[in-house]
Amino acid sequence: MAGLEDASPWQILKKLRIIGGGWAGLSAAISAVQRGWQVRIQEAAPSLGGRARRIQHTGLHLDNGQHILIGAYTKTLQLLKLIGVKEQQVLMRLPLHIITPQGFQFKALNWPSPLHVLTAIATAKQWSIQDKFSLFKTCVDWQIKQFKCDPSLTVQQICKTLSPSVYQSMIEPLCIAALNTPASQASASVFLRVLQDAFLSGTHGSDFLLPRVDLSELFVIPAQKWLIQHGAVIECHQPVESIKSSQHNDEINILACPPWEAARLTQHMHPHWSLTTSQLQFEAIATVYTHSKSFSLSHPFLALPIHHPTQAQFVFDQGRISQHPNKKGLWSWVVSASQGDRDAITQSVLHQARDLGFSDLDVITTVVEKRASFSCKPGISRPPSHVGQGLWACGDYIDGPYPSTLEGAVLSGQQVIDQIGQI
Ligand SMILES: Cc1cc2nc3c(=O)[nH]c(=O)nc-3n(C[C@H](O)[C@H](O)[C@H](O)COP(=O)(O)OP(=O)(O)OC[C@H]3O[C@@H](n4cnc5c(N)ncnc54)[C@H](O)[C@@H]3O)c2cc1C
């Protein structure tokens, strides 16, 4: 990343209005400020962070949804470092380790990539030799094809050579965690790209990084402080109603709001871009926060077998992860690609918990984000970052290599600034 000293006089002339202060907007703002540009963020909500931010509940700092990062999120990790956030203080780094309450285990050793994955396959518990061989053979096949496939295929379709056991215990949970779309409907080419980055970008690309602090403390507040210290202007409570509403005619506008809002704002001036964007579909994610007086999970998080889309695929023990006394006994149950309403999901998760032997749970709250991510299906059309004359867009939905993720949002913010820098 360029430092402030690299800014040329021509670049200093640029003035940006960034509409939306989620992770993409903040990432774009930081990149622009680094080039010496003038930046103003207008955010509709009272605080920044968008879909990845803190919420308050009866004195507790929770998130509007449990998030998980991986070691391959290089842009996000570099950005945290740049703004002075120390990874060890805010993230718990765990080597790839998928474990279920029923005793299934897939654990990578600290060996060079891709040996770490091969050892995980070889030592996986509860898989037969045939299961392991099917995964090994399929991985070699994906590697030979350089993790590329026909973009019209689903994850399920490229996994036909896998045994049912490997597919259910490994592929389905990984796919839903990474793409928030069930494997039977998810884009195989995006999934393969995520696997390639996670498993072949070095031993630590597949590490899990679990937030020890809420998402605002992790990135949003340090980013806001850094931006203000470097001269950016941040205006919250400022919903932008129209892109013509800027008082400053010399500003370049960047839409960093969610896709449905970007589609609305561009409807009349850029109907083609707006139509592409408005055709994206979305998946929900629900997080059920519970409190347990008597239990602590055996690991910071567990993968869970599911039989219904109102059940959680993962449960996280915030007490173990954060080590903060007021998080003791706080668990977050994540229902990705969730269906049904808040009450149905809460009851279903409580039932699931009882079946797992956790009977003393009190529900703290359930957060349902109806449009948590775009539905990452084969062949979807994602809009480009250039909308039209003087108008750009960034966000996790803009055409790019990743599904709806923090890394996708951060990368998109940086890329839009690189592109504006070239004009
Ligand atoms: C429950 C949940 C769980 C998730 N889990 C993970 C995970 O484990 N790992 C992962 O990598 N990703 C995860 N994600 C995805 C991740 O949170 C998103 O990809 C990312 O936050 C998107 O950032 P963004 O900046 O593109 O958009 P947003 O966060 O949506 O930001 C857009 C901003 O624009 C503002 N805005 C809207 N309209 C206007 C307007 N008219 N004027 C001004 N401002 C406006 C909004 O208030 C918001 O602040 C999860 C998402 C959710 C919801």
Side-chain angles (χ1 to χ4, degrees):
M1 264 188 197
L4 281 174
E5 66 282 1
D6 298 325
S8 75
W10 164 241
Q11 287 173 331
I12 286 169
L13 292 176
K14 292 199 198 299
K15 289 184 185 174
L16 299 187
R17 171 168 75 148
I18 299 178
I19 300 166
W23 286 48
L26 290 169
S27 159
I30 293 168
S31 286
V33 164
Q34 279 190 294
R35 289 172 182 252
W37 299 352
Q38 281 181 32
V39 173
R40 188 162 70 99
I41 298 180
Q42 288 189 311
E43 164 58 51
S47 58
L48 303 174
R51 278 169 276 163
R53 65 171 204 290
R54 165 197 297 166
I55 56 165
Q56 306 258 15
H57 187 86
T58 56
L60 266 181
H61 283 180
L62 306 174
D63 286 314
N64 74 317
Q66 171 71 48
H67 280 59
I68 179 166
L69 292 77
I70 59 168
Y73 281 16
T74 51
K75 300 292 179 196
T76 308
L77 294 173
Q78 283 164 6
L79 189 59
L80 289 176
K81 196 167 171 196
L82 175 91
I83 59 172
V85 174
K86 294 204 167 43
E87 185 197 303
Q88 310 85 294
Q89 287 173 5
V90 295
L91 291 166
M92 172 186 257
R93 188 180 268 270
L94 298 172
L96 172 69
H97 189 181
I98 299 173
I99 180 161
T100 70
Q102 290 76 15
F104 168 73
Q105 260 205 69
F106 184 88
K107 185 178 184 183
L109 300 181
N110 196 9
W111 287 16
S113 163
L115 281 180
H116 70 311
V117 184
L118 297 179
T119 53
I121 298 175
T123 57
K125 288 195 183 150
Q126 293 188 347
W127 279 353
S128 67
I129 298 285
Q130 288 81 357
D131 292 330
K132 294 176 184 179
F133 185 67
S134 80
L135 181 54
F136 176 74
K137 201 165 151 295
T138 307
C139 287
V140 170
D141 188 40
W142 288 343
Q143 165 81 56
I144 291 168
K145 293 177 183 150
Q146 299 186 321
F147 288 85
K148 295 215 165 27
C149 72
D150 176 344
S152 69
L153 294 175
T154 64
V155 172
Q156 191 178 46
Q157 285 167 329
I158 60 156
C159 290
K160 292 214 166 108
T161 46
L162 289 175
S163 71
S165 171
V166 170
Y167 181 72
Q168 281 155 18
S169 55
M170 181 84 193
I171 301 295
E172 285 189 328
L174 276 185
C175 179
I176 206 130
L179 273 63
N180 193 29
T181 308
S184 57
Q185 298 165 33
S187 159
S189 55
V190 178
F191 183 65
L192 286 178
R193 169 67 200 244
V194 172
L195 288 188
Q196 184 181 29
D197 278 8
F199 295 129
L200 296 181
S201 65
T203 308
H204 299 295
S206 57
D207 287 352
F208 291 121
L209 303 172
L210 311 180
R212 287 184 187 279
V213 294
D214 66 67
L215 295 166
S216 295
E217 195 178 332
L218 174 70
F219 170 66
V220 180
I221 295 170
Q224 183 169 5
K225 281 191 186 145
W226 188 96
L227 282 166
I228 292 169
Q229 274 165 10
H230 289 83
V233 173
I234 297 177
E235 301 165 357
C236 287
H237 290 288
Q238 288 287 327
V240 172
E241 295 304 337
S242 140
I243 29 184
K244 282 187 256 163
S245 62
S246 172
Q247 303 296 309
H248 312 259
N249 291 331
D250 53 346
E251 277 181 332
I252 296 172
N253 285 286
I254 301 182
L255 299 167
C257 43
W260 53 91
E261 190 62 5
R264 183 186 70 78
L265 288 169
T266 52
Q267 203 174 352
H268 301 299
M269 286 168 70
H270 304 284
H272 180 70
W273 191 93
S274 172
L275 182 66
T276 307
T277 307
S278 67
Q279 282 169 347
L280 291 171
Q281 294 173 345
F282 302 96
E283 302 282 347
I285 300 181
T287 307
V288 181
Y289 288 100
T290 61
H291 186 262
S292 165
K293 286 179 222 70
S294 40
F295 295 111
S296 161
L297 290 181
S298 53
H299 292 269
F301 76 100
L302 296 175
L304 306 172
I306 65 151
H307 309 287
H308 194 269
T310 51
Q311 290 184 319
Q313 297 92 358
F314 293 94
V315 57
F316 294 78
D317 185 338
Q318 301 289 343
R320 287 189 69 130
I321 298 166
S322 83
Q323 288 160 1
H324 194 284
N326 76 357
K327 295 272 169 88
K328 198 164 185 294
L330 175 68
W331 295 358
S332 42
W333 301 75
V334 180
V335 188
S336 293
S338 65
Q339 289 175 23
D341 66 21
R342 206 166 163 268
D343 289 345
I345 292 169
T346 310
Q347 289 313 316
S348 174
V349 166
L350 280 180
H351 198 273
Q352 183 183 13
R354 274 196 296 274
D355 285 349
L356 293 167
F358 305 121
S359 48
D360 78 331
L361 301 185
D362 294 325
V363 175
I364 298 173
T365 187
T366 298
V367 186
V368 182
E369 271 281 349
K370 286 271 179 220
R371 293 185 284 193
S373 71
F374 66 84
S375 193
C376 194
K377 293 183 179 160
I380 55 163
S381 237
R382 292 165 66 176
S385 56
H386 189 222
V387 183
Q389 177 77 36
L391 183 61
W392 299 77
C394 64
D396 61 355
Y397 67 97
I398 293 294
D399 197 14
Y402 301 120
S404 247
T405 50
L406 299 173
E407 181 73 356
V410 165
L411 177 69
S412 154
Q414 294 173 349
Q415 283 181 339
V416 79
I417 298 304
D418 287 346
Q419 289 168 13
I420 296 170
Q422 285 163 21
I423 53 168

